[in-house]
Amino acid sequence: MTTLNVFDQNAPANPRVVTEDAGKIANLLAEHGVRFEQWTTRDLPADASAEEILGAYADEIRALKDECGFQAADVISLNPDNPQKEVLRRKFLDEHVHSEDEVRFFVRGQGLFYLHFGDQVYAVLCQKDDLISVPDGTRHWFDMGPEPEFTCIRLFTNPEGWVADFTGEDIASRLPRYERLAGAAG
């Protein structure tokens, strides 16, 4: 189930807010300009190709492109047997910003977005059916866990794709990781 934990960055041991209510999650995130929606996923084979996934969601992708000016869409998929899983996890675990919105629609599996607003960190465990759009300039990081298992559609205004500017802050190392938060949700 999708969950939201809100932490005080100066006392990160225990969250201030914990909820599984999708409407409440959407409202709390909207206060910071974050778009959160739940869409209905399509029945696709587990081994569906990127082209099949993009084709199955072509109408939704087109609508988001028209609404938000996105130029490109792709699919990222990771499984526990990926030999690069540790390298990829570390790549996204440090706080960073982008010069464009970061949009992910979870077709399969789950991942944990951390959004840093002032002295608060919102940890959103996104799962299948969740769409999240993190506004450009928002400090954040992503934890896929030690055994990643997810497929996401990503949308970009920059045709080059994912480009991050790392903040150099160590805040990501001070908050509970995927193993604790996803374990508590499951």
Side-chain angles (χ1 to χ4, degrees), residues 144-155:
M144 63 184 75
E147 299 295 320
E149 190 158 355
F150 67 89
T151 299
C152 289
I153 295 174
R154 308 184 300 176
L155 290 113

Side-chain angles (χ1 to χ4, degrees), residues 35 85 140 160:
R35 180 178 187 163
K85 67 184 178 187
H140 68 283
E160 293 177 27

Side-chain angles (χ1 to χ4, degrees), residues 54-173:
L54 291 172
Y57 294 94
D59 291 341
E60 290 89 345
I61 292 168
R62 187 176 313 103
L64 282 174
K65 283 181 173 181
D66 291 346
E67 177 186 346
C68 303
F70 297 117
Q71 300 297 309
D74 71 6
V75 174
I76 183 169
S77 188
L78 284 173
N79 292 307
D81 62 352
N82 186 308
Q84 295 295 312
K85 67 184 178 187
E86 290 176 34
V87 171
L88 291 168
R89 184 182 189 194
R90 280 193 306 271
K91 176 181 179 180
F92 302 116
L93 267 180
D94 289 326
E95 185 182 72
H96 58 276
V97 297
H98 302 284
S99 61
E100 66 176 326
D101 294 357
E102 181 166 343
V103 181
R104 301 291 179 268
F105 172 62
F106 283 78
V107 174
R108 174 184 70 88
Q110 64 183 20
L112 189 55
F113 273 93
Y114 294 81
L115 311 169
H116 189 183
F117 306 114
D119 64 352
Q120 301 289 306
V121 176
Y122 287 52
V124 186
L125 179 63
C126 294
Q127 299 198 335
K128 179 181 173 181
D129 298 334
D130 291 343
L131 172 92
I132 189 166
S133 180
V134 179
D136 64 18
T138 300
R139 296 183 300 163
H140 68 283
W141 62 96
F142 179 73
D143 190 352
M144 63 184 75
E147 299 295 320
E149 190 158 355
F150 67 89
T151 299
C152 289
I153 295 174
R154 308 184 300 176
L155 290 113
F156 303 97
T157 53
N158 179 351
E160 293 177 27
W162 193 86
V163 179
D165 182 17
F166 292 91
T167 67
E169 298 291 328
D170 71 344
I171 188 164
S173 67

Side-chain angles (χ1 to χ4, degrees), residues 3-64:
T3 60
L4 171 65
N5 289 269
V6 180
F7 294 91
D8 180 327
Q9 75 174 16
N10 299 311
N14 294 302
R16 174 177 67 81
V17 173
V18 178
T19 185
E20 294 178 345
D21 179 315
K24 185 174 183 179
I25 292 170
N27 289 336
L28 290 168
L29 293 174
E31 291 175 6
H32 298 282
V34 176
R35 180 178 187 163
F36 177 81
E37 299 172 357
Q38 292 189 310
W39 292 359
T40 302
T41 48
R42 311 283 195 274
D43 287 328
L44 295 169
D47 62 348
S49 69
E51 292 78 21
E52 291 171 314
I53 293 168
L54 291 172
Y57 294 94
D59 291 341
E60 290 89 345
I61 292 168
R62 187 176 313 103
L64 282 174

